[in-house]
Amino acid sequence: MSNETEQVQEVLAATADIAVDASLEASSESNTLDAQLATATADIEKARQDVLYAKAEAENNRRRALEEIDKARKFAVEKFAMELLAVKDSLEMALSDQTGDVDALKNGVELTLKQLTAAFEKSQLIEINPMGDKLDPHKHQAIAMVPSESEANTVVQVMQKGYELAGRVIRPAMVMVSAAK
């Protein structure tokens, strides 16, 4: 019996050694898995922070762009307004003139008109004066047809000049055109 006991004890010792080895391996694997989990969690948190930062940055850029558009809309005519201030000053000076000299007043008004025309040109506001041209319905508005020696649909009289702003008609010229013979 003692031999059998010894054999049982040896088997138990070997089994214990295997269990200890397995326990150590499991513990080692557990530590590795815990470390991997911690690393993955940290990576996910960093990615979440990056996404939040990117969203905030995009929102800030959108808000800044809207503010710039609003400012551009508000102050788009600032340059033109500055040019018109000189014209207004000239007109006020003409009205305050007490000399009664009609020629001087006429010269002042002509100079003021030149200032206004220069302001229009700087702002790409171009006059449409189609006298003698063919009727262009995109730039002219015919209000009457009159008998004339000119070719049909030719502008024979300009009732009101038209204007284009940067190539876009903002007011068509009101014209009278020649009638067909």
Side-chain angles (χ1 to χ4, degrees):
M1 215 161 134
S2 82
N3 207 3
E4 285 180 6
T5 307
E6 285 178 18
Q7 286 179 346
V8 169
Q9 285 180 348
E10 284 177 17
V11 169
L12 285 176
T15 305
D17 286 343
I18 291 173
V20 167
D21 287 343
S23 174
L24 287 175
E25 282 181 28
S27 175
S28 173
E29 285 179 19
S30 175
N31 287 341
T32 303
L33 288 176
D34 287 344
Q36 288 176 348
L37 179 61
T39 302
T41 304
D43 288 346
I44 289 171
E45 184 59 28
K46 183 181 181 313
R48 188 176 81 73
Q49 291 297 325
D50 289 347
V51 167
L52 289 175
Y53 177 79
K55 280 178 69 176
E57 188 66 26
E59 182 62 26
N60 287 340
N61 286 338
R62 187 189 67 76
R63 184 184 45 78
R64 274 189 230 110
L66 288 175
E67 287 174 2
E68 287 178 20
I69 289 169
D70 192 39
K71 283 181 185 177
R73 191 176 302 127
K74 282 182 184 177
F75 300 111
V77 296
E78 182 177 12
K79 189 175 180 183
F80 184 62
M82 292 298 291
E83 295 291 331
L84 289 182
L85 290 177
V87 174
K88 181 181 183 294
D89 292 341
S90 296
L91 288 172
E92 286 175 346
M93 285 176 56
L95 286 174
S96 67
D97 182 25
Q98 299 295 322
T99 63
D101 186 3
V102 176
D103 288 332
L105 185 61
K106 183 178 181 212
N107 287 337
V109 170
E110 286 173 352
L111 289 174
T112 303
L113 180 59
K114 285 181 184 179
Q115 282 181 320
L116 184 60
T117 302
F120 282 1
E121 287 173 0
K122 286 180 183 177
S123 298
Q124 299 180 15
L125 183 59
I126 299 169
E127 184 177 279
I128 301 173
N129 189 0
M131 188 64 178
D133 294 346
K134 283 294 237 181
L135 179 70
D136 180 354
H138 300 288
K139 294 183 178 184
H140 315 139
Q141 180 179 355
I143 57 172
M145 295 185 85
V146 295
S148 173
E149 297 297 318
S150 302
E151 187 179 336
N153 290 329
T154 300
V155 175
V156 293
Q157 187 175 358
V158 178
M159 304 303 290
Q160 184 181 56
K161 294 176 185 174
Y163 289 92
E164 290 180 330
L165 179 61
R168 182 177 179 188
V169 176
I170 59 172
R171 183 177 85 184
M174 290 178 37
V175 298
M176 295 181 132
V177 294
S178 59
K181 295 180 185 177

